[in-house]
Amino acid sequence: MNLRQLGEVTDNTYDQEHTCSENLFPTADRIVHCISSHDVKVDSWQLHNIHYATAEEVEIGEAEFEGEITYHSMIVINYCPFCGKNLNDHK
């Protein structure tokens, strides 16, 4: 999922993504910089935790298709929880 697609899911606009080798699950734990939320200008770094359904979850009826987003949470952060960098220095 690229930043545009993530924005479509959340109704936000993102302009950057922080990646580091300390993040062992970069597909599930995404750190992105948000510049607008629901058409309101913002300036915040966000940690998104996204769970994509597995074949087993489809098989037992917890999801309709493999890769379906079954869980998504977001919190605003200032520091990378994986490497500790101050994200506000990376704008």
Side-chain angles (χ1 to χ4, degrees):
M1 174 181 300
N2 62 37
L3 293 181
R4 182 189 54 76
Q5 292 166 323
L6 181 60
E8 289 171 0
V9 170
T10 60
D11 197 20
N12 291 340
T13 304
Y14 305 104
D15 66 344
Q16 298 180 62
E17 182 164 10
H18 169 75
T19 57
C20 65
S21 62
E22 302 297 319
N23 181 354
L24 301 179
F25 303 100
T27 303
D29 295 324
R30 307 271 305 268
I31 298 174
V32 295
H33 183 251
C34 182
I35 57 173
S36 74
S37 179
H38 306 283
D39 296 325
V40 175
K41 185 177 177 179
V42 296
D43 178 14
S44 66
W45 284 93
Q46 303 172 344
L47 170 61
H48 290 255
N49 178 262
I50 306 167
H51 176 77
Y52 300 95
T54 63
E56 296 83 67
E57 291 168 321
V58 173
E59 187 176 309
I60 62 174
E62 290 184 359
E64 292 184 29
F65 56 91
E66 193 170 342
E68 174 185 5
I69 296 174
T70 59
Y71 176 80
H72 179 200
S73 66
M74 181 278 294
I75 59 171
V76 174
I77 59 175
N78 291 308
Y79 295 88
C80 175
F82 307 108
C83 70
K85 289 188 179 179
N86 182 343
L87 298 167
N88 295 306
D89 290 343
H90 294 283
K91 291 189 239 177

